[in-house]
Amino acid sequence: MSKENTVLIDKKTISSSIVRLAHEINERNKGLENLVLIGIQTRGKPLSKRIQNELFNISGIEVPLGSLDITFYRDDYRERLLVPQVHRTDISISLEDKVVVLVDDVLFTGRTIRAAIESLNAFGRVKAIQLAVLVDRGHREMPIKADYVGKNIPTNDGEHIAVRLIEVDKKDAVVIIKHDQLESK
């Protein structure tokens, strides 16, 4: 069995997906003055920054940016055997009556997004929450659907989608990892 991961999306396709996501967000949210981008730690944060840059290129408006750590809002954090990696939440503006676009790398069961929505409540009553993801791999356990999707990649049991970003991983790629490859690492 090969330990090589299959690259599903390369750097160029990630870049074009981010441009398309930004255009879709701009089209749906005319004006952008009431919009805030919130990246879910870890890889949602650099993705939200890239979308912010593209929105600026499109509209000339610098959309406010924040990041959110949902570790202690997860419904499984106490059950995990590993010590949770806690990152910083950075939301320095009021979210009252704002349209918040949550940004994450992969949408899977929906539990991360549920936790993110719950944690946003601590920052005030938002006008609306929209969801932008680079990859939607299916297999929902919660009734959550992304408003903006870079790529739909249906997966099978035993497969894992891993998004790699330059800001975190020193390269841009979306790879699929088979379960037997995860166990051998």
Side-chain angles (χ1 to χ4, degrees), residues 18 37 39 44-54 62 65 103 167:
I18 290 169
L37 295 170
K45 182 179 177 182
L47 284 171
S48 64
K49 178 64 177 164
R50 292 185 194 189
I51 292 170
Q52 180 195 42
N53 290 338
E54 290 302 326
E62 188 169 339
L65 190 63
V103 180
E167 298 89 341

Side-chain angles (χ1 to χ4, degrees), residues 1 35 39 43-44 102 139:
M1 272 178 247
L35 195 75
R43 287 168 187 81
L102 282 173
H139 303 280

Side-chain angles (χ1 to χ4, degrees), residues 24 45 51 68 80 87 123 151 176:
E24 290 175 8
K45 182 179 177 182
I51 292 170
L68 188 62
R80 292 180 169 202
H87 299 278
F123 295 92
K151 183 96 170 137
I176 191 162

Side-chain angles (χ1 to χ4, degrees), residues 1-5 178-184:
M1 272 178 247
S2 170
K3 290 187 180 182
E4 290 296 312
N5 302 326
K178 303 288 183 188
H179 185 66
D180 58 337
Q181 292 170 344
L182 286 172
E183 290 176 350
S184 66

Side-chain angles (χ1 to χ4, degrees):
M1 272 178 247
S2 170
K3 290 187 180 182
E4 290 296 312
N5 302 326
T6 304
V7 175
L8 301 173
I9 303 175
D10 61 12
K11 179 179 181 173
K12 182 178 178 184
T13 306
I14 288 173
S15 293
S16 63
S17 293
I18 290 169
V19 170
R20 186 171 37 80
L21 288 170
H23 277 280
E24 290 175 8
I25 291 167
N26 182 56
E27 288 171 17
R28 181 168 174 187
N29 299 284
K30 292 294 182 201
L32 299 183
E33 290 83 9
N34 203 34
L35 195 75
V36 178
L37 295 170
I38 303 289
I40 299 172
Q41 294 279 14
T42 300
R43 287 168 187 81
K45 182 179 177 182
L47 284 171
S48 64
K49 178 64 177 164
R50 292 185 194 189
I51 292 170
Q52 180 195 42
N53 290 338
E54 290 302 326
L55 285 170
F56 183 79
N57 292 340
I58 295 165
S59 67
I61 295 171
E62 188 169 339
V63 175
L65 190 63
S67 62
L68 188 62
D69 179 22
I70 53 95
T71 301
F72 296 115
Y73 287 90
R74 291 187 59 94
D75 58 8
D76 64 349
Y77 91 92
R78 287 188 178 98
E79 297 167 6
R80 292 180 169 202
L81 298 176
L82 302 173
V83 175
Q85 287 187 332
V86 179
H87 299 278
R88 183 172 175 244
T89 290
D90 180 16
I91 300 176
S92 58
I93 65 164
S94 171
L95 298 183
E96 288 289 327
D97 293 320
K98 300 288 186 188
V99 174
V100 172
V101 178
L102 282 173
V103 180
D104 204 7
D105 57 347
V106 178
L107 177 56
F108 181 37
T109 63
R111 291 181 181 279
T112 295
I113 304 309
R114 185 220 39 92
I117 292 168
E118 186 177 326
S119 67
L120 278 178
N121 289 331
F123 295 92
R125 189 173 195 277
V126 302
K127 180 176 181 180
I129 298 173
Q130 299 171 4
L131 177 60
V133 297
L134 186 61
V135 175
D136 183 345
R137 63 174 284 199
H139 303 280
R140 226 61 90 238
E141 295 174 2
M142 301 276 171
I144 291 175
K145 184 176 189 288
D147 298 282
Y148 314 101
V149 177
K151 183 96 170 137
N152 285 294
I153 303 176
T155 57
N156 296 316
D157 287 340
E159 293 178 329
H160 176 77
I161 298 289
V163 172
R164 307 286 187 230
L165 298 176
I166 288 173
E167 298 89 341
V168 179
D169 309 294
K170 310 294 187 246
K171 67 178 178 179
D172 277 354
V174 175
V175 298
I176 191 162
I177 303 169
K178 303 288 183 188
H179 185 66
D180 58 337
Q181 292 170 344
L182 286 172
E183 290 176 350
S184 66
K185 291 186 185 267

